[in-house]
Amino acid sequence: MTEFFLPELPRLLPVAYHPKAAQIEFRSNGWVRRQLGGCFAREEDLLFFLRQRNGLYGPLTVPDADEQRALDVTDWYQYVTAIDSSTSDRSALGADEADARAVFAGIMADFHGGRGGSEDFPYARAGKDLWRRISPGLSPAQIRRFADSLEAFLRGCATEIGFKLKARVPDYETCMAVRMDSFGCDFIRLMTEYAVEVDMTADESLLREVHTYGMQQMIIVNDLLSWRKEHAQEDKMTLVRVLIEREGLGLQQSVDRLCRLVESRERAYLAARDRLRHGPHGSRADIRAYLRGLDHVIGGSQEFEYLTPRYFGDGYVWDGSTSGWISLTGSVTRLRPRPGNDPGPSPAAGTDQCEPSMTRN
């Protein structure tokens, strides 16, 4: 199939832009040029990256944060997105898993204050700059988590490179486990804490269900909306490809099944969040602030994925559509409405026939 129909997703969570979203995006783009410009082979590649509007991810996911913290978070997300882009590129870090792991080891060495090859790898310099700026706003426990979250992300990226180079498609559980790392779930939670100025380190057991369902929703939505890009780059670590190549489903069947999973995970997240809010710990100001922050992370991430040319082609301009036909072959595509009154396939049609392994927490 050369196109698929994306049904309307529930979108039950709030979406808001930081009041200084435009200024933050511009300032963050300047930081990318200064700190990460050397990571791109050509000026054209850097400009291509900047046109993806990655500098809006922070303003959409931490809309209530202090402006400086919002900028720090935005720069962090630009940083990890640049790394992710390079690992998908066979002319860059994606060319060799062992070489990528060596680069990542250097990044981590610099992150910890050692000699990690900063002169050769601007990623290390940029990571050190972010560490210097963000760590003073974190507790000692959060600082440990900060380094651990970057290491988990880099490990996930390297694992994805290995699957791609070997043309291997994982099963659903393996894919989701690797995506928890490569999607950056650990630092998403930490950046949310940083933005709302709380420390949830000691409350992980209270938040486990909220985190599980919330992060799964984010990963599934991302894999749906990024499929055009992942398909073109022949990436293997994506849930759409898992259902097609490991479960034997057609493209539209896979999309519809994942849409049903999005709704189930989103509603499960809301139920877990409300149980916590109305439980014995729900009156705590830090818990309530953090839960509001998670709402914005999940809702804002999805908003970004609708609007970014990263997923729909260089030159794409979002018109606000959230459902429609998506072409896999056009240089620039958009969510194209179906002619007439036929809304196309519906994710609500029939029952959820996911395998038991696909519905585990």
Side-chain angles (χ1 to χ4, degrees), residues 253-295:
Q253 288 178 301
S254 300
V255 168
D256 291 345
R257 181 176 291 190
L258 291 175
C259 287
R260 292 195 293 271
L261 278 174
V262 168
E263 180 163 7
S264 73
R265 295 306 185 261
E266 192 163 323
R267 293 188 184 280
Y269 164 80
L270 290 169
R273 181 203 67 184
D274 289 346
R275 283 194 296 273
L276 185 52
R277 275 182 176 171
H278 301 305
H281 302 280
S283 61
R284 283 172 44 186
D286 58 345
I287 289 280
R288 299 187 75 84
Y290 179 66
L291 292 177
R292 284 194 302 273
L294 279 183
D295 283 356

Side-chain angles (χ1 to χ4, degrees), residues 117-145:
S118 295
E119 295 308 311
D120 294 327
F121 303 116
Y123 291 119
R125 286 200 306 272
K128 186 174 286 186
D129 177 67
L130 290 164
W131 179 263
R132 175 187 57 79
R133 288 160 50 191
I134 295 173
S135 59
L138 301 175
S139 70
Q142 288 175 308
I143 288 173
R144 289 192 296 273
R145 289 169 54 205

Side-chain angles (χ1 to χ4, degrees), residues 157-176:
C157 287
T159 301
E160 288 200 9
I161 292 171
F163 272 85
K164 183 174 181 176
L165 293 177
K166 295 171 185 173
R168 292 175 53 211
V169 178
D171 59 37
Y172 182 90
E173 289 184 333
T174 300
C175 183
M176 184 61 82

Side-chain angles (χ1 to χ4, degrees), residues 211-252:
H211 286 158
T212 296
Y213 293 126
M215 296 302 107
Q216 287 181 355
Q217 190 272 7
M218 293 178 72
I219 290 169
I220 299 168
V221 167
N222 178 265
D223 283 14
L224 278 167
L225 296 180
S226 69
W227 172 243
R228 177 185 175 278
K229 167 183 171 289
E230 311 300 346
H231 174 267
Q233 295 179 336
E234 300 181 349
D235 283 348
K236 307 303 179 185
M237 197 66 64
T238 172
L239 297 173
V240 180
R241 194 177 298 280
V242 166
L243 294 187
I244 292 171
E245 298 195 22
R246 293 295 296 262
E247 302 290 334
L249 300 184
L251 174 57
Q252 190 63 55

